[in-house]
Amino acid sequence: MKKAFITGITGQDGSYLAELLLAKGYAVHGLVRRASAYNRSRIDHLRTDENVGSGRLVLHYGELNDVTSFHRLLHKIEPAEIYHLAGQSHVGLSFELPEVTCLENGMATLHLLESMRELDTSTRLYLAQSSEIFGAPEGEDPQDETTPVAPRNPYGCAKVFSMQLGKVYRESHGLFVCNGIAFNHESPRRGENFVTRKISMGAARIAAGDEAVIELGNLDGRRDWGYAPEYVEAMWRMLQQDRADDFVLATGRTHTVREFAAAAFAAVGVPVDFQGQGVEEVARRRDNGAIVLRVSPRYFRPVDAVSLRGNPAKAKAELGWKAQTQGADLAALMVEAERG
């Protein structure tokens, strides 16, 4: 039975990836941060699933930057595949916690790569990277694997460091390391502090009469949004190739925050009109004129990335992978999940 090790198994991507690997017959080991309050809600259904045999899902408690324990754990498990997904992944929060962001997303990768040098040379590693490495791509639209990096926030900087380390260890030490440069991918399991989940939760509550107003930042922010369960399939496919390489994972299309919000409201039958500009902009219900969405200056970032749109041509050609869900369909999917 092939063994896989997932850091960040309790996160959005980690939980979907664990489902995928278990369905493929893997034994899955996951790293869980030890805390006073356990947050395992995204994988609780797997831990109680009678179809998951004994010993096929094992959780290990630890910290990415506890180097000795992490090193010992990898040697104990001896995984065939490692998926490094853990880290501080909120862009806005990275301005407030730059050191934590760089430690968890940068130095933890270095520790993992060093440990891999002493593992069986057949071990394969997936490193989760982000479109935030491109930041300001200077007219290159869409962005692909050859686009120069130009991050505009601490999170993007840490991911550049992680990605470059992966390339160095692949080329210098012969490790099988793949960088997945994933553009934004969402789902009902997305953290509640991310804008798409905030919108889907708010729209569902407003439709039910439980919430009055959603407060957001820049509605003109434009992103390439896909569906997370589809992206973890690409992660797995990368590690099944004969040669390690880097791939952009994206839909190839972009939508603004305003468009995503409008689609979410439409999905719950709440017709809205957007009025005003900048920090004065609001969305009003057409039936009663009530404000259901308001722009708030406190949600604007010090510096924001420009429009980011990925070119997934390489992933389609070499992995046979293509994103299927995006835009209004993604918004509707997330809202319906909130409504139960």
Side-chain angles (χ1 to χ4, degrees), residues 164-229:
Q164 295 300 96
L165 278 174
K167 291 182 178 181
V168 167
Y169 276 69
R170 182 171 67 207
E171 296 166 2
S172 300
H173 301 296
L175 300 184
F176 194 105
V177 181
C178 293
N179 287 300
I181 307 169
F183 281 62
N184 297 62
H185 46 291
E186 317 299 314
S187 78
R189 298 181 190 175
R190 194 53 143 153
E192 295 181 10
N193 58 338
F194 286 82
V195 66
T196 51
R197 182 75 191 288
K198 189 174 182 180
I199 290 170
S200 64
M201 290 176 60
R205 290 172 179 169
I206 287 169
D210 296 332
E211 184 171 314
V213 180
I214 304 172
E215 288 196 344
L216 300 176
N218 180 17
L219 298 187
D220 292 315
R222 183 175 288 276
R223 290 294 182 271
D224 184 329
W225 278 307
Y227 186 38

Side-chain angles (χ1 to χ4, degrees), residues 12-14 16-17 20 228-237:
Q12 171 188 255
D13 291 2
Y16 284 122
L17 180 60
L20 177 72
E230 297 170 1
Y231 282 54
V232 300
E233 170 73 24
M235 298 173 190
W236 174 78
R237 291 190 185 193

Side-chain angles (χ1 to χ4, degrees), residues 256-336:
T256 64
V257 174
R258 186 184 295 102
E259 291 168 344
F260 192 95
F265 282 118
V268 293
V270 178
V272 299
D273 287 321
F274 288 86
Q275 303 171 6
Q277 295 181 346
V279 295
E280 302 298 325
E281 187 166 5
V282 299
R284 293 182 180 275
R285 294 185 66 149
R286 293 179 202 154
D287 52 1
N288 62 14
I291 294 176
V292 293
L293 183 152
R294 178 186 296 116
V295 172
S296 173
R298 67 189 178 121
Y299 292 114
F300 280 75
R301 297 169 182 167
V303 179
D304 205 355
V306 298
S307 176
L308 296 174
R309 180 168 70 100
N311 179 359
K314 182 177 177 181
K316 181 179 180 181
E318 299 186 21
L319 302 178
W321 178 85
K322 181 180 180 180
Q324 302 295 327
T325 309
Q326 58 183 293
D329 290 339
L330 177 61
L333 181 156
M334 292 179 65
V335 171
E336 288 306 313

